[in-house]
Amino acid sequence: MKTYFKLLSFAKPLGKFAVPYILTTILAVIFGTLNLALLIPLTDTLFKADTNAIHSIPFPEFSLTLDYFKNIFSYYFNEIAISQGKFGTLKFVCVIIVSSALLSNLFRYISQRVMEELRIHTIENLRISVFNNIMNLNIGYFNNERKGDIISKVASDVQVVQYTVTSTLQVIFKEPLQLVVYFIILFKISASLTLFSLIVVPVSGLLIARIVKRLRKQARESQERFGNMISFLDEALSGIKIIKAFNATEFVKNRFNNENKEFSRLSRSMVRRQQLASPLSEFLGIVTVAGILLYGGNMIMNQQNSGLTAAEFIGYIAIFSQVTRPAKAISETFTQIHQGLAAGERVLELIDTPVLIVDKKNATAAAPFNSKIEFKNVSFAYKDRPVLNNVSFTIEKGQTVALVGPSGSGKTTICDLTPRFYDINSGNILFDGIDLRDLKADSIRSQIGIVPQESVLFNDTIFNNIAFGKPGATKEEVIAAAKIANAHEFIINTENGYNTNVGDRGAKLSGGQRQRLCIARAVLTNPPIMLLDEATSALDTESEKLVQDALNNLMKNRTSLIIAHRLSTVKNADKIIVLDQGRVIEEGSNAELLVKEGLYHKLINMQSFEV
Ligand code: ADP
Ligand code: MG
């Protein structure tokens, strides 16, 4: 129920849709039922012995009851029967039937339209919320989630949810209303027959409840399976080279196919249940109709004084046969609602995931960087895996500080903490003397440029990839940035120059070219602080030199924190910080550290900092 109301909140403003929906539905139901009820006078006219025997009846007195309207109809019906004869009456009844059918269908169409509006509106809101929340989530969240599962939640589950909201409006309002109106008329025609037929409603209700009970669990499981499939697909596509190289296609195929089989098995079982609900209730309905035929037919044949004419009996059966339709609709929508709720839970999990890194209410925007970044006794753990232990160091404005240490010592982690991708467990990270947590995250990040080890490019043109961080950048600015990044040369040699598409994740470029585009991007945004995390480690010697030149250009007149695996890059740094197992164990210039003959000395002798 909680899930449901939460989903409903995305339908806001509900009143805008619910009110017209309810009004038009009431009208559609009334005229629809009227149509059937008109069968009674119709049959009456056709089979009545003689119109000459009809006498005038008095005009009914006004009262707000069903009988009043029925009497008015009878009055005019009577008048016409007297003045126009049998065929005239028939024409009169037919005109009324046609107009009421027209009205009922018109209102049904309008109510359906309102419903569709509501559905589309809800789904739009839901999708916006999900995507926005995903984008706001902290980086740490994505370490623990499958990308494919998130994709399937946004793409497929949201789609399933949409019918929940609209279907429930139908189930709680339209169909019950239709049933109630039918039963009122049925009671009017014959109370005893109706009491008898009422038995069928709870019986079929119970049966259907039993059938759909397990549906929600199965629906949820099948949605999870679907998420897995998308994950496997995503991994298979991005790793296709490695998969082929390791002859792992069979393994990958099996993994996907197993999931697919499981998904199909669940779908099959769910569909069987779903499909069972409606024929069952329909069959029960027919059984009741047969019972009524026996019971009521008997009443008429025995000429009992039941007050039931043949015409009324035919009308009764006609209306009753329609009772199964809303009952059937209710049972069908129940299965939809269960699936929708299961999907809704998954989507809401995403929406309700707390954004851990939020600006404090009184957070201020950071002023332009002007003195130093300071790590003060910083300790940090990924969940419960301690990674940094009491780390302290300072980066003065204009300095280049290098982080050095064996693999896994926490270098990347320090880089991620500086723009506050994660919050630390204890200690302080101070930006010009102010704790990061007291500043607006955006205002810090806009002053920090990052060139990561793996270049991140989007499937777009070279121009747009460079201009990514600075919307509205001019062609001249982009070219200037590309020149500083040593990228201009190769860009103009591509097929369409700056308009060349780089392919998925930049697949059409070499590693060094990709990296230089990333550097150009950082140059263009021109941040005062740069973080370079092994920006050259994935490159061959030649492109490394080009990229290194680009990086040197980038670091000019900036404050930089660099992680590098080459002595050449590190030795010119103003300060070198040596990390081991999450602790700072040495600190100083290249010369100072070499004299110490500590870990730095050892790493230098190995010619590579990566152990
Ligand atoms: P470095 O960049 O120095 O090689 P990292 O900062 O990447 O090291 O990692 C430091 C330690 O933290 C490693 O032992 C690694 O296993 C762990 N680690 C890194 N990222 C995560 C993560 N997202 N979740 C849990 N542990 C992590
Ligand atoms: Mg690293």
Side-chain angles (χ1 to χ4, degrees):
M1 230 28 203
K2 227 173 86 198
T3 314
Y4 177 69
F5 281 115
K6 270 200 179 145
L7 290 175
L8 203 61
S9 68
F10 290 95
K12 271 178 195 154
L14 195 58
K16 193 179 129 200
F17 299 97
V19 173
Y21 177 75
I22 289 174
L23 284 180
T24 47
T25 305
I26 291 176
L27 289 169
V29 165
I30 288 176
F31 285 110
T33 318
L34 188 65
N35 244 348
L36 292 166
L38 283 170
L39 271 178
I40 299 173
L42 183 75
T43 339
D44 248 352
T45 326
L46 285 175
F47 301 109
K48 203 157 241 174
D50 195 358
T51 39
N52 292 334
I54 300 174
H55 298 289
S56 237
I57 52 170
F59 193 79
E61 264 185 45
F62 177 77
S63 66
L64 238 175
T65 59
L66 206 59
D67 279 329
Y68 169 73
F69 292 100
K70 188 180 154 225
N71 290 340
I72 286 209
F73 176 80
S74 306
Y75 171 79
Y76 285 111
F77 183 73
N78 213 34
E79 290 293 299
I80 288 172
I82 293 168
S83 59
Q84 315 252 329
K86 223 171 159 174
F87 189 62
T89 330
L90 196 58
K91 278 195 281 188
F92 171 69
V93 175
C94 284
V95 166
I96 295 203
I97 288 184
V98 169
S99 0
S100 123
L102 181 71
L103 287 174
S104 106
N105 282 295
L106 181 71
F107 287 122
R108 209 181 57 203
Y109 167 71
I110 299 175
S111 80
Q112 216 69 33
R113 252 180 70 155
V114 174
M115 187 63 18
E116 289 301 300
E117 293 270 323
L118 173 67
R119 184 175 63 74
I120 292 166
H121 165 83
T122 311
I123 211 73
E124 185 186 345
N125 282 349
L126 192 62
R127 217 178 261 132
I128 293 174
S129 299
V130 182
F131 191 71
N132 285 355
N133 199 59
I134 295 174
M135 285 293 107
N136 291 342
L137 284 171
N138 46 305
I139 308 271
Y141 175 80
F142 300 95
N143 293 336
N144 305 316
E145 291 293 316
R146 275 172 184 275
K147 198 164 81 189
D149 203 42
I150 299 178
I151 292 176
S152 92
K153 279 178 186 174
V154 180
S156 135
D157 289 336
V158 166
Q159 210 66 19
V160 180
V161 171
Q162 59 181 333
Y163 294 105
T164 310
V165 174
T166 47
S167 299
T168 35
L169 268 189
Q170 260 167 14
V171 166
I172 57 176
F173 181 70
K174 180 176 163 215
E175 309 298 353
L177 177 75
Q178 179 75 70
L179 275 178
V180 166
V181 171
Y182 278 153
F183 273 102
I184 288 176
I185 305 284
L186 290 177
F187 258 107
K188 277 270 164 223
I189 301 174
S190 167
S192 61
L193 266 185
T194 310
L195 281 178
F196 168 76
S197 64
L198 264 180
I199 305 166
V200 75
V201 177
V203 172
S204 59
L206 275 179
L207 265 173
I208 287 156
R210 273 190 72 96
I211 290 171
V212 297
K213 211 171 99 195
R214 279 195 56 210
L215 216 57
R216 182 139 153 211
K217 210 174 126 244
Q218 286 181 324
R220 184 168 174 114
E221 203 185 328
S222 82
Q223 284 147 7
E224 274 159 14
R225 297 270 173 196
F226 191 74
N228 287 347
M229 278 203 294
I230 303 282
S231 293
F232 292 156
L233 177 67
D234 168 54
E235 284 172 13
L237 291 181
S238 27
I240 188 79
K241 231 190 236 172
I242 294 294
I243 292 170
K244 296 226 179 240
F246 280 84
N247 280 334
T249 27
E250 279 313 307
F251 170 75
V252 173
K253 277 184 200 163
N254 283 340
R255 203 167 63 152
F256 183 85
N257 290 344
N258 284 343
E259 210 63 17
N260 190 18
K261 269 196 195 118
E262 237 348 80
F263 178 73
S264 305
R265 188 186 64 76
L266 283 165
S267 307
R268 229 171 267 137
S269 150
M270 272 161 50
V271 167
R272 278 190 206 133
R273 265 164 205 284
Q274 267 170 26
Q275 300 300 1
L276 204 57
S278 128
L280 245 182
S281 60
E282 180 151 339
F283 177 70
L284 274 173
I286 301 288
V287 168
T288 334
V289 171
I292 290 169
L293 267 176
L294 283 177
Y295 182 74
N298 192 36
M299 263 165 37
I300 289 174
M301 281 190 286
N302 292 339
Q303 299 292 317
Q304 273 172 357
N305 197 8
S306 56
L308 193 67
T309 67
E312 280 171 340
F313 187 55
I314 291 174
Y316 189 93
I317 296 285
I319 295 179
F320 193 85
S321 66
Q322 296 298 308
V323 166
T324 53
R325 210 191 40 77
K328 215 173 85 183
I330 290 179
S331 69
E332 271 169 11
T333 18
F334 259 120
T335 65
Q336 273 185 0
I337 290 174
H338 274 284
Q339 283 182 12
L341 283 180
E345 279 166 11
R346 280 166 49 83
V347 175
L348 287 177
E349 274 167 19
L350 260 189
I351 293 179
D352 292 342
T353 306
V355 178
L356 290 179
I357 299 198
V358 275
D359 290 338
K360 277 191 197 161
K361 273 215 185 72
N362 53 0
T364 51
F369 181 58
N370 79 355
S371 99
K372 64 183 176 207
I373 294 173
E374 192 177 358
F375 275 61
K376 220 166 153 185
N377 306 323
V378 171
S379 295
F380 173 76
Y382 289 106
K383 288 236 167 93
D384 29 47
R385 191 186 186 308
V387 173
L388 295 184
N389 194 339
N390 219 10
V391 169
S392 301
F393 64 91
T394 321
I395 308 168
E396 302 284 344
K397 184 176 180 181
Q399 273 190 343
T400 296
V401 174
L403 282 174
V404 169
S407 170
S409 54
K411 305 181 295 289
T412 300
T413 307
I414 288 181
C415 261
D416 285 348
L417 291 179
T418 314
R420 200 181 166 203
F421 286 154
Y422 301 93
D423 268 340
I424 52 179
N425 301 26
S426 68
N428 304 87
I429 300 175
L430 304 168
F431 183 92
D432 280 346
I434 308 172
D435 195 291
L436 286 188
R437 287 164 289 195
D438 294 327
L439 293 167
K440 291 202 165 110
D442 284 358
S443 68
I444 306 164
R445 289 175 195 167
S446 66
Q447 303 196 45
I448 297 180
I450 298 179
V451 180
Q453 178 173 359
E454 289 199 13
S455 43
V456 178
L457 294 176
F458 302 93
N459 192 337
D460 204 336
T461 59
I462 289 178
F463 183 92
N464 285 341
N465 267 296
I466 296 178
F468 179 73
K470 191 179 177 186
T474 63
K475 179 124 204 194
E476 288 70 38
E477 287 176 307
V478 169
I479 292 177
K483 280 185 176 156
I484 294 176
N486 274 346
H488 185 66
E489 286 292 305
F490 92 80
I491 293 172
I492 49 175
N493 283 328
T494 56
E495 206 178 331
N496 298 315
Y498 280 85
N499 292 323
T500 307
N501 186 291
V502 300
D504 247 17
R505 295 174 213 203
K508 294 189 205 158
L509 302 175
S510 80
Q513 291 170 336
R514 284 201 287 267
Q515 202 58 297
R516 277 176 280 161
L517 287 192
C518 288
I519 293 169
R521 181 191 289 158
V523 171
L524 184 64
T525 43
N526 194 21
I529 303 162
M530 279 306 312
L531 304 178
L532 309 175
D533 186 355
E534 311 201 62
T536 58
S537 70
L539 306 175
D540 50 276
T541 333
E542 194 183 340
S543 46
E544 188 187 332
K545 180 151 174 18
L546 281 169
V547 172
Q548 193 56 56
D549 285 348
L551 285 176
N552 289 341
N553 289 340
L554 178 64
M555 289 190 300
K556 245 178 241 160
N557 308 323
R558 270 182 238 276
T559 312
S560 330
L561 180 64
I562 59 171
I563 302 173
H565 66 150
R566 300 261 177 208
L567 175 62
S568 55
T569 327
V570 170
K571 73 173 182 218
N572 295 326
D574 299 297
K575 181 165 21 176
I576 299 166
I577 293 160
V578 185
L579 282 175
D580 191 26
Q581 298 186 6
R583 289 169 192 273
V584 176
I585 54 164
E586 290 169 29
E587 190 179 328
S589 69
N590 179 51
E592 287 165 6
L593 290 176
L594 284 178
V595 172
K596 262 193 192 167
E597 299 206 349
L599 181 62
Y600 181 73
H601 183 81
K602 214 166 103 194
L603 290 167
I604 293 291
N605 283 342
M606 285 193 277
Q607 269 308 311
S608 162
F609 297 135
E610 294 287 342
V611 178

